[in-house]
């Protein structure tokens, strides 16, 4: 087995923490001695032990003289848990192989330096690209101060997300709907426009519930919602946040909603850039934008969509009044269209499901 083989296994372990550890990064670790795994672990839940500590605890005395494979540079500061570097030194690990440096300012190379000063051989960069991709939401929050933005829509083959009456339910098959609920379950918040609430009356919860209590955020210029809508009827299950202009939303506060006051963007709508900055201050790591067309357009025009989840039903709707996914201004010319940097295409029941990512803004 090579270092790459062991690290790929550590990356698979790290994935088990998705939706449970944010705003912390995903991390997995293996303790390997004589080409055998003697301990393994991953960061299982925010505030609990990190991957290295879980792996070392499982290894026990077998960790002495072994190699530790970890997907992220070990921490060297006291946060909600003690420094992982202390645990590694105490365990008498001989060598540490890390996939990537942790850019968090309190770590940022210091963890590796401490291990080296204590006579531990450290190698960094094994499967680095995979580790960076795995932790794109963490890196986005850390480097840009805003959440990682997923955009999800379902459409017909001719690119329509709603009919001429702006109704959009039942475009996707049952399997796609189940996958959407799984996606919702690991988000910090779901964002829609007030028009979507009026047209579809969505609940915007994960069913069955997932690892996180997902906030429902509605961008509304008027600062109001229909008083009998499902969001308000289920407000005790999950919070509802109205994102609107200053001086609006008082009636929603009285119904139990939180109100975030935002400035206007260039189109006169509540600024999604300002919204993301506020959510970043709250340490939200992943948000899911579910529409409608104008909201998708606001995020796309501001280049604030990081990842797409698009379900295409093998049907055709037609009609010039039917709604396309992304409104707004766009980038005008074919030559200005934005390519995906990575994508996966698969069948999901009877739908074609595309997961695509744009080049991270922090890498430009």
């Amino acid at each position: 087995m090579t270092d790459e083989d062991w690290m790929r296994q550590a990356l698979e372990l790290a994935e088990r923490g998705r939706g449970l550890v944010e705003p912390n990064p995903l991390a997995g670790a293996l303790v390997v001695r004589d080409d055998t795994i003697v301990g393994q672990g991953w960061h299982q839940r925010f505030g609990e032990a990190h991957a290295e500590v879980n792996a070392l605890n499982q290894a026990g005395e077998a960790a002495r003289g072994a190699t530790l494979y970890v997907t992220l540079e070990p921490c060297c500061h006291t946060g909600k848990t003690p420094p992982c570097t202390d645990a590694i030194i105490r365990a008498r690990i001989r060598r540490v192989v890390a996939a990537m440096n942790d850019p968090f300012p309190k770590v940022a190379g210091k963890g590796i330096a401490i291990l080296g000063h204590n006579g531990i051989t450290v190698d960094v960069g094994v499967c680095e690209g995979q580790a960076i991709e795995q932790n794109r939401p963490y890196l986005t929050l850390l480097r840009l101060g805003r959440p990682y933005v997923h955009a999800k829509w379902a459409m017909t083959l001719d690119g329509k997300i709603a009919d001429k009456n702006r109704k959009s339910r039942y475009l996707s098959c049952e399997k796609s709907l189940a996958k959407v609920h799984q996606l919702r379950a690991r988000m910090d918040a779901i964002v829609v426009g007030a028009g979507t609430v009026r047209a579809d009356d969505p609940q915007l919860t994960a069913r069955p519930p997932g690892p996180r209590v997902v906030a429902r955020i509605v961008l509304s210029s008027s600062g109001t919602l229909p008083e009998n809508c499902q969001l308000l009827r289920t407000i005790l299950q999950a919070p509802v946040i109205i994102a609107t202009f200053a001086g609006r939303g008082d009636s929603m506060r009285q119904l139990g909603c939180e109100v975030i006051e935002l400035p206007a963007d260039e189109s006169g709508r509540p600024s999604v850039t300002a919204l993301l900055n506020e959510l970043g201050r709250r340490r939200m790591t992943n948000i899911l934008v579910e529409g409608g067309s104008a909201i998708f357009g606001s995020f796309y025009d501001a280049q604030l969509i990081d990842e797409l989840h698009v379900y295409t039903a093998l049907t055709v709707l037609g009609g010039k009044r039917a709604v396309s996914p992304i409104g707004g201004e766009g980038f005008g010319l074919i030559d200005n269209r934005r390519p995906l940097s990575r994508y996966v295409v698969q069948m999901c029941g009877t739908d074609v499901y595309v997961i695509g990512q744009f080049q991270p803004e922090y890498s430009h």
Side-chain angles (χ1 to χ4, degrees), residues 57-129:
N57 286 343
Q58 189 179 99
E61 286 299 315
R64 184 186 292 264
T67 297
L68 173 69
Y69 292 88
V70 61
T71 59
L72 188 70
E73 176 183 3
C75 71
C76 54
H77 66 288
T78 299
K80 292 189 177 293
T81 60
C84 290
T85 49
D86 288 357
I88 294 168
I89 293 165
R90 283 197 307 270
R92 304 290 181 87
I93 287 288
R94 177 183 60 84
R95 177 179 178 235
V96 171
V97 181
M100 62 177 286
N101 290 103
D102 186 350
F104 185 66
K106 291 184 178 180
V107 185
K110 300 181 186 72
I112 289 168
I114 288 171
L115 296 176
H117 290 327
N118 281 272
I120 298 172
T121 301
V122 183
D123 295 304
V124 182
V126 176
C127 298
E128 181 180 41

Side-chain angles (χ1 to χ4, degrees), residues 127-201:
C127 298
E128 181 180 41
Q130 292 166 254
I132 289 172
E133 287 299 326
Q134 185 175 67
N135 267 314
R136 279 180 59 151
Y138 168 71
L139 295 172
T140 298
L141 178 62
L142 190 61
R143 292 173 171 169
L144 302 180
R146 65 164 177 84
Y148 186 79
V149 177
H150 307 251
K152 185 279 299 179
W153 64 77
M155 67 181 186
T156 59
L157 270 176
D158 55 333
K160 307 299 184 182
I161 64 169
D163 63 20
K164 62 183 181 181
N165 297 319
R166 308 191 75 82
K167 297 297 182 183
S168 62
R169 286 191 172 187
Y170 312 119
L171 272 178
S172 300
C173 69
E174 292 284 338
K175 190 170 182 180
S176 294
L177 291 172
K179 192 169 283 289
V180 168
H181 282 283
Q182 293 170 10
L183 180 64
R184 284 178 176 178
R186 60 182 177 84
M187 296 291 124
D188 292 300
I190 298 170
V191 180
V192 297
T196 295
V197 176
R198 288 190 292 269
D200 293 341
D201 192 20

Side-chain angles (χ1 to χ4, degrees), residues 223-240:
T224 61
L225 295 178
E227 290 193 12
N228 64 341
C229 70
Q230 288 200 85
L231 291 181
L232 296 179
R233 295 204 306 270
T234 59
I235 200 166
L236 295 180
Q237 297 178 30
V240 176

Side-chain angles (χ1 to χ4, degrees), residues 288-312:
L288 179 63
V289 180
E290 291 208 24
S293 177
I295 300 301
F296 287 134
S298 294
F299 278 90
Y300 185 74
D301 286 351
Q303 298 191 49
L304 291 173
I305 296 176
D306 299 298
E307 183 167 311
L308 299 176
H309 298 260
V310 180
Y311 298 85
T312 302

Side-chain angles (χ1 to χ4, degrees), residues 24 29 77 82 88 105 111 139 196 241 268-269 279 331:
N24 281 356
H77 66 288
I88 294 168
L139 295 172
T196 295
I241 300 172
R269 298 177 178 275
L279 299 183
F331 295 106

